[in-house]
Amino acid sequence: MYDRTSKTKTMIAVLVIAMMLAGSSAFAASRRFRVAYVSCYPVDSAEWLQALVSGLKEYAKKDNFEIKIVEASDSSGYEPKIQALAESGYYDLIITSYDFHAPATISVAKKFPNQKFAILDAGVRNIEQYKNIQEFKLDRLETAYLAGCVAGLMTKTGKVGMVGGADMGVINEIIAGWQQGLRKTNPKVVDLVVYANSFSDPSKGKELGLSLASKGCDIIASAAGGTGVGAAQAAAEVGKPFVAWDVHYPDVLHGLELGSAVNYFEVMFRHYINSVRAGNYRPGTVRVYGIAERACDFEFPVDSPVPDSVRAEVEKIRQEILDGKIRISPDLLHK
Amino acid sequence: MPRDLHTGCTRRSKHFRWLSGGWTNLLISLVAIIIAFALAGVLIAFAGEDPLNAYRTLFKGAFGTRSGMRGTFRYCLPFVLSALSFSICVRSGYFNIGQDGQIYLAALAATWVGVAWKGVPPTVQVIAAVVLGVAAGALCCFIPAVLKVLLGVDEVIMALMLNYIIGLLSTYVLLYSPIAEKGVASAVSKAIPISLPSSVAVAMIVVIFVVYALGMKRTVPGYEMCIVGHNKRFARYGGIPANRTILKSALIGGGLAGLVGVCEVLTVYHLYFDKFTPGLGLNGMAAALLGRHNPIGILFGSLFLGALQSGSVLLSVITEVPSEVIMVIQGLVMFFATVRRKQTNA
Amino acid sequence: MNLAQLLHVTLRVSAPISLAALGGLFALRVGVFNIAIEGFMLMGCFAAVVGTHFAASPYIGIICAMLVSMFMTLIYAFFVLNLNVDPIICALASISVSTGLTRYLLRPIFGTSGRFILPSDLGLRSLNLPLLEKIPLVGEVLSGHSIIVYISWILVVVTYVVLYKTSFGLSIRATGLKPEAAASAGIPTRRVQYIALSINGLLCGLAGAELALGFTNMFNEGMTNGRGFTALAALILANSEPIATFGACLLFGLSEAIVIALSSEGYAIQLLSMLPYLLAIIVALLPPVASRISKLVKATPRQS
């Protein structure tokens, strides 16, 4: 077993010597690269996480690396689990997630200076001072902005609604992009925002979706995990178009889905892991992935009712984003 | 409706019997735990893992490594405190289900002192944080107790509602107040610059435990609490101020739960995550009930639950046993661990 | 959102809560304070979706939900009544087992994780009441619910009748109040407790089925989201009287509907969501405070 300390120490020693002798890239070829990902949410709680987990397992086979996924969603498990992973000395790279794991990652990284750490989207302060932590993130603003653009063009009543999972940073960033996108294509738009306070309550999501529809919203959007499915069902029930996040709901919406802002976390992770394998580990920096890296995009499903003229306009805005002509602020316009 | 339903039907008197039943019960408990692990083993095998290896890992994670031992100890201590908090209230017939609220309010108070008080010597600040936190916990437990004593309002509903309200309040404070960290993904406070050294925290808990263990058995207030819990009217006949005793135990119980919250933020995290360590109150309650309110029993109950938590760290890191199976194991073990010989009603 | 819509939502939201509360009522009335209804409800949700998926009929789903939930409560009853496990420990364990098991079983049964969405034609249709529908406000409020909502209203009355007008109800109440006395009066208390807990299971299963099939047509891990505890609060608030319990559930439903209606107005959602709980506290405080005041008022002239 690899967790015996003496063996671990020998292994680390061997590793270090081998690296010094052979150089890291030559060594990496001799055995499989080992990555551990620590998730701060239960892995089945949100669509992007489900896609990330299954995608990572698939890419691990394709690209020949080893992936271990650990759930640390309870604050009392953050540090012990990250520490146990580091103690094992088995993994070449340990990836943790969001600001939940930031303090624990920083404190463990100090204790294990030879262990490479990466953290997903944590906004670590003064990251340049850490010698073995790199941050990487997926820019959710761009796709949210595009989603807003589509809805702004498609609304007839000029009123749209958004069901957010909870009043928290990740979701508010999405809503911020959505609100700015709406105003880009439809300056006079009125947009309502509701929060469900839960990512696992479809019943609440449906109630909120119906209430938005009854207030005159003719497009409903939702970024709320399982709660969001309820909102999609509400849209289907009242026959209003729907904008989804991270998934498509063809069986729920039957041709009412305008499109979905899909974030390919698994693609981003693959990019990132492979770049670290290739020796491009840059601790103390933040690496951002976006549409340009194909880590996310706004996608129209096959049965999307969006006409070609609108698609062309959205494509133009997409190009502007790629060219860096549009600045999107992560701050909400209103709640 | 008889009031004592909350403490577990008509068998409440059992809670006060110290290690009743003796060896037979211990034997039954052991057999029951083995059955529980066997049942959970089927699930583990179903998930494609070797149950024996999983249990070996679980044990090793709890006791086999230094950090595992430390983890067991770390999880065990707050359980002991919150179990004592639950126990002391039950003794006087007050069902304290509001520990989560008390813990979070206390943590909030301590975080506020730690983050917002500036230009105060750190030692003073730590003491103030502990005192205010404990006071906040006590207050939060005291309100339902006062309402129960004065107006006869059920404490369970008050505590449940307060739990929800305090949960929402802390999310709000951690998002919008000056002590909130802005521009992050979640609701979390700014880093707390002060710290309660773990040695001091452990010492406090040990002292509290010893005082409780001796105090309940050998002092007048402990005896009074027991009598009030057993039979309020009898206590009044005997000249014991029943209501005052209930309030007293609620204050102490709330204070203990408050201390849990304070220690979590000042000793462990040094910041306040929204809804940190969920289920602390429930686990404490479980530890108290597993130990049947006996101090030594509480110690073992907490140790057992702490070991399960700590062992599951290594289990999730080494094996592929899904986290929900660990949850089921904990549930099954709890189911079986308290099985006991049928007793004639006392 | 107008008044009729608000009341319509109130009835819909309170149905699963009131079913669960009625279930808990039977347990409480035989002396078991069952805080596990949250877990039983979740099992009900899951079984409802499994049954509906494999039998392609929501009605089979409902029956599955009730049976599975009853099976769970029977295990619970066995541990509590026969093996002398503390009811609260047992309840906490049941909740943790149900939460874990439903999450886990999604994978082998459906091959998905986190949630499973049923095809939309497999849901329970909402029923329009033929005559009532035509009455302006009343029709809009009362009509257009799923069948389980209507059943839940009937069950409130049934519960009341069973509890107070039948000999079985008398046995239940006697068992809860003084088991020793009931036993010496020849009531088979153990059997009464088992039957009451089975009813608890059936009702929690029905509550779960309403949550999963009546409105949303899917299963999501943790989808009960505290409704079991709300039901418990309603039960205690109403001192476990059937009609009053239903009233308390309506109160929670109404405040939830208000929260939903006000959500888009830009209030801080955390503060807004406190409404149901604050309301419950006020309602719990009102009667004793009122009786205190009336006592004081009566007492003053005598003193003067």
Side-chain angles (χ1 to χ4, degrees), chain A residues 5-77:
Chain A
T5 36
S6 59
K7 264 196 177 177
T8 316
K9 274 178 193 156
T10 346
M11 210 163 77
I12 292 175
V14 171
L15 258 170
V16 172
I17 294 166
M19 271 186 197
M20 286 196 294
L21 288 178
S24 58
S25 57
F27 177 72
S30 69
R31 72 150 170 78
R32 291 210 296 177
F33 193 71
R34 294 158 178 166
V35 185
Y37 170 55
V38 191
S39 164
C40 62
Y41 300 112
V43 289
D44 47 10
S45 63
E47 280 92 354
W48 65 266
L49 250 175
Q50 293 167 314
L52 171 62
V53 168
S54 58
L56 271 179
K57 284 183 179 155
E58 200 178 301
Y59 290 141
K61 268 185 219 136
K62 256 187 214 159
D63 297 355
N64 196 30
F65 63 86
E66 200 176 314
I67 182 81
K68 163 79 193 166
I69 287 153
V70 176
E71 224 174 67
S73 54
D74 170 351
S75 61
S76 67

Side-chain angles (χ1 to χ4, degrees), chain B residues 1, chain C residues 25-31 163-164 172-173 176 239-241:
Chain B
M1 185 98 329
Chain C
L25 189 147
F26 277 97
L28 193 53
R29 281 302 179 110
V30 292
L163 211 52
Y164 291 107
I172 287 184
R173 285 182 290 143
N239 209 11
S240 60
E241 296 293 331

Side-chain angles (χ1 to χ4, degrees), chain A residues 72-118:
Chain A
S73 54
D74 170 351
S75 61
S76 67
Y78 295 166
E79 187 154 344
K81 285 184 181 169
I82 297 171
Q83 168 134 2
L85 284 168
E87 255 172 27
S88 78
Y90 184 75
Y91 295 100
D92 299 299
L93 176 65
I94 297 173
I95 305 175
T96 59
S97 32
Y98 294 109
D99 52 293
F100 297 98
H101 289 165
T105 310
I106 291 168
S107 107
V108 177
K110 259 185 211 138
K111 287 184 226 162
F112 296 86
N114 294 322
Q115 172 75 55
K116 289 192 183 98
F117 286 92

Side-chain angles (χ1 to χ4, degrees), chain B residues 48-67:
Chain B
E49 284 284 319
D50 173 15
L52 280 180
N53 182 39
Y55 289 141
R56 214 177 296 130
T57 314
L58 192 69
F59 186 78
K60 193 173 169 192
F63 302 108
T65 65
R66 191 182 291 176
S67 54

Side-chain angles (χ1 to χ4, degrees), chain A residues 44 50 201 206-207 215 233, chain C residues 12 113 215-216 225 261 264:
Chain A
D44 47 10
Q50 293 167 314
D201 192 343
K206 191 169 178 187
E207 291 291 359
K215 282 175 182 150
Q233 290 180 337
Chain C
R12 190 165 56 205
S113 65
F215 189 48
T216 54
N225 197 15
S264 61

Side-chain angles (χ1 to χ4, degrees), chain A:
Chain A
M1 278 253 120
Y2 48 80
D3 52 324
R4 277 181 211 143
T5 36
S6 59
K7 264 196 177 177
T8 316
K9 274 178 193 156
T10 346
M11 210 163 77
I12 292 175
V14 171
L15 258 170
V16 172
I17 294 166
M19 271 186 197
M20 286 196 294
L21 288 178
S24 58
S25 57
F27 177 72
S30 69
R31 72 150 170 78
R32 291 210 296 177
F33 193 71
R34 294 158 178 166
V35 185
Y37 170 55
V38 191
S39 164
C40 62
Y41 300 112
V43 289
D44 47 10
S45 63
E47 280 92 354
W48 65 266
L49 250 175
Q50 293 167 314
L52 171 62
V53 168
S54 58
L56 271 179
K57 284 183 179 155
E58 200 178 301
Y59 290 141
K61 268 185 219 136
K62 256 187 214 159
D63 297 355
N64 196 30
F65 63 86
E66 200 176 314
I67 182 81
K68 163 79 193 166
I69 287 153
V70 176
E71 224 174 67
S73 54
D74 170 351
S75 61
S76 67
Y78 295 166
E79 187 154 344
K81 285 184 181 169
I82 297 171
Q83 168 134 2
L85 284 168
E87 255 172 27
S88 78
Y90 184 75
Y91 295 100
D92 299 299
L93 176 65
I94 297 173
I95 305 175
T96 59
S97 32
Y98 294 109
D99 52 293
F100 297 98
H101 289 165
T105 310
I106 291 168
S107 107
V108 177
K110 259 185 211 138
K111 287 184 226 162
F112 296 86
N114 294 322
Q115 172 75 55
K116 289 192 183 98
F117 286 92
I119 187 159
L120 169 68
D121 200 355
V124 178
R125 292 257 167 91
N126 307 326
I127 184 135
E128 58 286 351
Q129 62 176 310
Y130 302 110
K131 299 283 172 262
N132 57 340
I133 305 175
Q134 181 176 15
E135 186 172 335
F136 67 111
K137 64 181 282 191
L138 198 152
D139 189 351
R140 292 176 184 234
L141 282 170
E142 298 176 345
T143 48
Y145 189 85
L146 286 177
C149 292
V150 174
L153 290 167
M154 292 296 290
T155 177
K156 293 187 187 77
T157 58
K159 204 171 183 185
V160 298
M162 158 67 90
V163 180
D167 184 4
M168 58 191 277
V170 188
I171 296 299
N172 282 338
E173 204 171 271
I174 286 175
I175 299 176
W178 156 260
Q179 288 177 333
Q180 291 163 66
L182 281 169
R183 280 161 185 75
K184 162 93 177 167
T185 53
N186 194 342
K188 275 186 274 178
V189 77
V190 175
D191 79 291
L192 304 179
V193 179
V194 295
Y195 296 101
N197 252 351
S198 162
F199 287 90
S200 62
D201 192 343
S203 190
K204 176 105 192 228
K206 191 169 178 187
E207 291 291 359
L208 286 170
L210 288 177
S211 87
L212 285 175
S214 80
K215 282 175 182 150
C217 297
D218 71 340
I219 292 176
I220 293 165
S222 180
T227 307
V229 186
Q233 290 180 337
E237 191 168 304
V238 292
K240 303 274 188 248
F242 185 80
V243 179
W245 252 264
D246 293 335
V247 271
H248 298 289
Y249 298 116
D251 300 330
V252 176
L253 287 157
H254 302 294
L256 280 171
E257 182 188 322
L258 295 179
S260 177
V262 189
N263 298 306
Y264 294 104
F265 278 83
E266 65 277 21
V267 175
M268 173 179 72
F269 269 66
R270 184 192 198 183
H271 272 293
Y272 181 72
I273 290 168
N274 285 334
S275 80
V276 174
R277 279 168 94 182
N280 290 324
Y281 180 64
R282 301 274 176 273
T285 61
V286 182
R287 175 129 197 228
V288 184
Y289 292 84
I291 296 181
E293 290 81 12
R294 294 169 192 281
C296 56
D297 214 335
F298 188 82
E299 292 182 351
F300 300 100
V302 190
D303 56 359
S304 170
V306 177
D308 286 341
S309 56
V310 173
R311 290 183 196 216
E313 197 149 338
V314 173
E315 180 54 37
K316 227 164 55 196
I317 298 170
R318 185 171 173 276
Q319 202 54 50
E320 281 176 41
I321 292 177
L322 283 177
D323 297 342
K325 284 182 195 154
I326 295 178
R327 282 256 157 270
I328 312 165
S329 146
D331 297 321
L332 286 176
L333 297 177
H334 69 87
K335 278 203 174 134

